[in-house]
Amino acid sequence: MHTRYVLSGRRRGSHDERQDGRTRAAGGRTRLRVPAQGEFEHRTGGSWPLNIGQVYTTLDRLERDGLVARGEADDDGHVVYTATVAGREEVARWFSEPVPAKRGRDELAIKFALAVTVPGVDVPRLVQVQRASAMRALQDLTRLKRTADPAEDLAWSLVLESMIFQAEAEVRWLDHVESSVGRYMPPAVHDAPAQGRAIAAAAREAVR
């Protein structure tokens, strides 16, 4: 049995699940009448891979929560799900509300926050390595943008431009990190790689 038309997301519950629930509703509104996986990946440019196993779990939860109704299978074995009145109201609410600012753990920020306090970390080099990676990503995205036509595929263009802005923001933030390290980080800590190697060597001797 196949699922021809799907809704994307999770049931309401935790903070993350509530946030995903809004995504779930949006997916339902835009995807009720289009093939699921290929269309989803096309519209998002593959930036958010669709887990088909999660789709089935999601549909069960949406049905349980009264947001969709399961229909009969068609001649090809495809099951059609239809948004209920409550489901359409959830979609309308999701589109009318702002998306909360990301306040989860930021691995990159945490990495640098630790790097400036841990002896032995060459922070300037870490900035260079991370910035080079961000610049490569930005260049790749910029090349993709040249092939994107908003008139033909506005959805993908918006997703692509969002990723470009995020990459540009990362590069700018790394420039700020580099400047702050040069201004505020004591030279003794700044030149800590040798110190860190000495600490590591002492630690190895201690466990022998």
Side-chain angles (χ1 to χ4, degrees), residues 79-147:
V79 177
V80 178
Y81 288 80
T82 304
T84 62
V85 172
R88 290 192 293 272
E89 290 174 350
E90 178 77 3
V91 170
R93 181 164 53 251
W94 184 80
F95 276 120
S96 67
E97 295 176 347
V99 175
K102 294 180 180 179
R103 290 186 170 83
R105 290 182 297 177
D106 184 329
E107 182 180 355
L108 183 58
I110 291 173
K111 182 176 184 178
F112 276 97
L114 293 174
V116 298
T117 61
V118 174
V121 178
D122 187 345
V123 181
R125 184 179 186 284
L126 181 58
V127 171
Q128 294 172 4
V129 170
Q130 186 66 40
R131 185 164 48 205
S133 175
M135 287 299 299
R136 284 194 297 271
L138 182 57
Q139 290 166 359
D140 290 342
L141 292 169
T142 302
R143 281 193 290 270
L144 277 176
K145 185 179 179 180
R146 296 195 197 101
T147 66

Side-chain angles (χ1 to χ4, degrees), residues 40-58:
F40 183 87
E41 293 178 352
H42 171 71
R43 293 191 183 194
T44 62
S47 60
W48 187 2
L50 182 64
N51 183 333
I52 198 65
Q54 180 64 38
V55 168
Y56 289 106
T57 302
T58 295

Side-chain angles (χ1 to χ4, degrees), residues 186-207:
V189 178
H190 211 292
D191 301 328
Q195 178 187 358
R197 287 193 293 271
I199 292 174
R204 285 195 297 270
E205 289 296 327
V207 297

